[in-house]
Structure formats: C-alpha cells, structure tokens
Amino acid sequence: MRARLSAFLLSILYMLAVAPAQALDPKVVSKLASDDSAARLEAIDQLAASGEEAALTLLQALANGEVQVTPDSRVIIVSDQVLDAVTLTPIASAPDEYEAVILNNRMRARVDSAIGALSLLSPDRATRLASAKAVETTQDVSLLPLLERAIDKETDPLIRRSLEHTRAVLDLRSQDPARRLAAARVLGDSSQARVRTFLLQLLEKDSSGTYLETDADVRFAAQAALESVERRLAFSDYFGRIFSGLSLGSILLLVALGLAITYGLLGVINMAHGEMLMIGAYATYVTQQVFRTHFPGALDWYVLAAIPTAFFSAALVGMALERTVIRWLYGRPLETLLATWGISLFLIQLVRQIFGAQNVEVANPSWLSGGVEFANVVMPYNRIVIIGFSMLVLILMWLLLSRTRLGLFIRGVTQNRTMASCVGVPTGRVDLLAFGLGSGIAGLGGVALSQIGNVGPDLGQAYIIDSFMVVVLGGVGQLAGTVYAGLGLGVMSKLIEPHIGAVLTKILILVLIIAFIQKRPQGLFALKGRAVET
C-alpha cells in the first residue's frame, strides 16, 4: 500500500514539475483557429499582453509555422511532439488531420512584436536588450501593462531607459493630460528621430489654426522636449559626419603618405601610385584565399598576415618600376607623367588577365564585423580599426624618418640632393628604397580599403587625384602637412556632401585648393632647406 501511495505522489509531483506555471486562456487561443484575420490579431495582442511564459512559447511556435488547427477547431502545436496549445502538455492521441495557421505579413509583424515584448521578462540581459530595441517602434497600447511590469523589474539602466521611452511614446496617446505631460517630459532626453515625429504631432493645428492638443502645459512640455531632441539629433548628425570624414581621411592619409615621400624626394608625378593601392588590396585577397584553403581554422586572422604581404608586394613592384623606368626620367616631369600613366594602364590590364575584370570578394573577419553605438551613431569596427591602423603607420613613418639612418638620408636628399651626394649619401640607393617604402605604404592602404569596399582592377583610380591634392595642399615632402591635409579634406568632404552632393563637393574642394595654392604655393607647411633658396 505504501509503495502504491509513494508511486502516486511521485507521479503527481512529476506532473506538477513538467506542467506550465499557468495555462493560457482557451478563449484567446481558440481565436487563432478563426478565419477572421481581426480575431487572430486580437488573439496575438492578448497573448502578448498576458506576459506569460506559455504565451511566448505559443507565439514562437506560431512564428515557426508549428501551430495547427484540427477539424474540430482545436489548436495544437506540432513539432518534435504534439502539444495542446492551451496547456502546452503532450496529447496522448495525436490527431491524424490538421491544418496550419497561415500568417499574412501584418500578422507576422504583430507576432514578431509580441515575441519581442514577452522577451522583456527574460533573465538574460542580451535578450531583454534586444527585445527592448524591438518594441521601440510599437504602437500597440495593449502592451502598456507588460511594459509596466518589465520596467518595475528592470535593473539595467540602458534597458530601463529604452522601456521608459517606449512607454512614454504610447502614453502620448492617452486621454489623461497628466500622462501626456509626464510622457513629453520623459521624451526630452531622447536622441531618436522617431520621437521627434511623435512630439510634432502634439504641436499640430487643425484647418482653423487651433492646436489639436488642448492642454497648454502638454504643448509647452512637448515644445521643450522637441528642442532638446533636435539638439541631440544635430549633435549625432555632425558626430557621424566627422567620424565618416576621419575614416575617409585615414584612407587618404595612407595613400598620400607614400606619395608624399616619392613626390617630395624625387619630384616624380607617379600616376601609377594608385595601382600600388590596388596591388595591396589584391595581395589581401590572395592571402585570404590561402588561409581559406590551407588554414581554415585561422581564417579570422588572415588580415594580420595580409599586412606584411601587401607591403612587400607593393614595395617590390615600386622598386622594379623605379629601377626600370623612372630612374631614366628624372628631371623630365612630362615624360615621367606619361610613362607612369602607361604603367598604370599596364598594371590594371595585368590584374584583369590574372583575376578577371569583376570585383573579388574580401570578407571581414568576425572581429571586424559589427560596430559600436555612440551618440546615436553606429561606428563600424572595421572603420575604427582603419583609423587606428593609419595612426600606427603614421607613427612608424615618423620614427623611421626621424630616428633611423635611412630617414636621415631621405630628409637630406629631399632638402638638398646635390649637397647630400657630395657628403657621401648614396642618392641612387636612397631613391630606390624611398620609392619602395612609398609604394609599400600605398599597399597598406589597399589592405584597409579591402575591408570597407570592393576590390577591383580600377580600385586605385578613384584615389590617385585625391592623394595628389593632399600632398600639394599639405606641402611637398612634409609629413605633418600630409596628415593635416588628408584628415582635413576627409572631414570637410563629409560635412559639405549632404548639402550639395558628392560631385559638387569634389568640385568645390578642388576650387578651394586651387585658390589656396595661389596664395600659398608651398602648401600648409613650407619645405625648409637650401633647395628652397636655390
């Protein structure tokens, strides 16, 4: 007898353990079997407002197409096993016939919103944060009780702030002026563009010029909140433009650094410098393919191997170019320009023959994917890394030019080639190494460009003119001038571009540079040395 009683009690405890904490309302669940779309939408809203974990399970099954209706209008869930949709318990005798509940686009959007709302009560912070972001666009006032529960339980400041703003947006439609007033004040510290739209609705007038919002205190609070939101949006907009400008300026800096050395040292207008950029990008692509084939487990780190590969590939091509062509054309700028332009066309066609005319895919590693949000602006990790990489290259260049023997030779030859040769500086070897160094730095620019844009044979053509403008504006042979000009042109382009367009921006910047050079031909920083005096 005791054995039978123990077995009975264990079975009861087991059933209590596996049963849901609270069954769903059968009347609400039965609406999912209705042919009326409005009834189904009402059921979805009621399930979301219930705040029950069982409702979340049912809605997830509905989104996955697992909710079925039997011929007797019973709602079930068919997945690994057949469950009753009300109690979420297994059905002893599964029906032979059932029909799936079909969702249209409106229902699916409502289900996704409901799932996001119910996930607000999840114990996982990442889930709650994603859910809070998902329900920010909701207009369903039936979610207010659930939002209240989530806000009361929430301890994370970021999630709580997001939920309070969502609640405030919904409260703007309340019939109670006090709730509308409190909501307008809460939204004053928001930085989202959608909030601006809702606040403007409180300040609208009808055809007779009368405010639609009858409460003057609410209108005053809405106007103050609107001004605060617009200030934050303006700050976010300019911050985003400056970040984009620094990103573009970092690319221009990498391209122009090498050109500043070769142009400042040799006086050569190298129209093939852009193709050094292209070679660095294709070296990155080849490195990626090698890792994908032979080292798939380390594919995320192919970029680190691509950096020295791109540098030496571009440097070797540049040194070969200097030894075979440019060394015979020193002092003949027109012939040098035409020769290097022809070489650039040859390199472009060579790449087309090897890799094809179409762009090749260079994928971001996982640690360069995604971004960080600051001041309502999403800053991609790859662009942040490119800015840091450009600064690192700049520091290494400064150390090389100011702390090494090669740097001393390069500065000496740049300032006065004849005097440097007289004191024993091997100017020919310095020319070769400097040209290789400048080309290698352009190759590093190709690595950076491959992470944010397409890699194709014409990659370098888009940057060669801009890089020459940077060098001329900064001052020939001046490292500091190249930095200021590169970053300045990048930021200026992004600040002007939204107002007049990309094409007119380039024209305006070119006109401004020409006007500046007319007044100051030496650029931002004048070259110092006896070569200037002569």
Side-chain angles (χ1 to χ4, degrees), residues 444-516:
L444 296 179
V447 178
L449 267 180
S450 68
Q451 301 301 306
I452 61 173
N454 295 323
V455 175
D458 299 323
L459 174 66
Q461 297 294 305
Y463 290 91
I464 183 65
I465 302 301
D466 290 339
S467 61
F468 269 109
M469 286 196 299
V470 169
V471 172
V472 173
L473 178 62
V476 177
Q478 295 298 304
L479 194 61
T482 304
V483 175
Y484 285 111
L487 297 180
L489 285 180
V491 173
M492 184 184 298
S493 297
K494 292 303 179 181
L495 290 177
I496 299 175
E497 195 172 290
H499 301 289
I500 62 176
V503 176
L504 290 179
T505 297
K506 285 186 175 292
I507 295 174
L508 177 61
I509 289 178
L510 179 60
V511 171
L512 293 176
I513 290 176
I514 292 174
F516 179 82

Side-chain angles (χ1 to χ4, degrees), residues 117-122 128 132 135-136 138 143-171 179 183 186-187:
L118 287 169
S119 299
L120 293 173
L121 303 176
S122 170
R128 297 200 310 276
V135 300
E136 283 180 344
T138 185
L143 294 179
L144 275 172
L146 181 60
L147 286 172
E148 296 286 358
R149 289 177 55 190
I151 291 172
D152 291 340
K153 293 178 59 178
E154 188 56 61
T155 57
D156 187 280
L158 178 62
I159 302 176
R160 186 181 181 88
R161 181 170 178 266
S162 175
L163 294 176
E164 288 175 344
H165 286 174
T166 304
R167 179 182 62 181
V169 169
L170 296 177
D171 279 344
R179 290 184 70 92
V186 168
L187 293 176

Side-chain angles (χ1 to χ4, degrees), residues 281-306 309-310 313 355 361-363:
Y282 272 97
T284 305
Y285 167 72
V286 172
T287 306
Q288 173 193 253
Q289 296 304 105
V290 170
F291 269 70
R292 182 169 291 168
T293 303
H294 300 286
F295 312 104
L299 183 60
D300 263 356
W301 306 104
Y302 81 89
V303 174
L304 300 181
T309 303
S313 298
F355 297 99
E361 179 188 1
V362 178

Side-chain angles (χ1 to χ4, degrees), residues 161 165 169 172 183-200 221-237 375-376:
R161 181 170 178 266
H165 286 174
V169 169
L172 290 179
R185 289 172 175 170
V186 168
L187 293 176
D189 65 347
S190 175
S191 58
Q192 296 186 358
R194 67 183 186 89
V195 172
R196 179 178 180 272
T197 303
F198 295 126
L199 291 172
L200 284 172
Q223 182 64 46
L226 179 63
E227 293 174 356
S228 177
V229 169
E230 287 181 337
R231 285 195 299 269
R232 287 185 174 85
L233 289 175
F235 172 78
S236 299
D237 182 44
N376 210 33

Side-chain angles (χ1 to χ4, degrees), residues 313-330:
S313 298
L316 290 174
V317 173
M319 293 169 71
L321 176 62
E322 196 277 337
R323 287 288 90 176
T324 57
V325 178
I326 293 179
R327 69 175 301 187
W328 312 104
L329 300 175
Y330 288 141

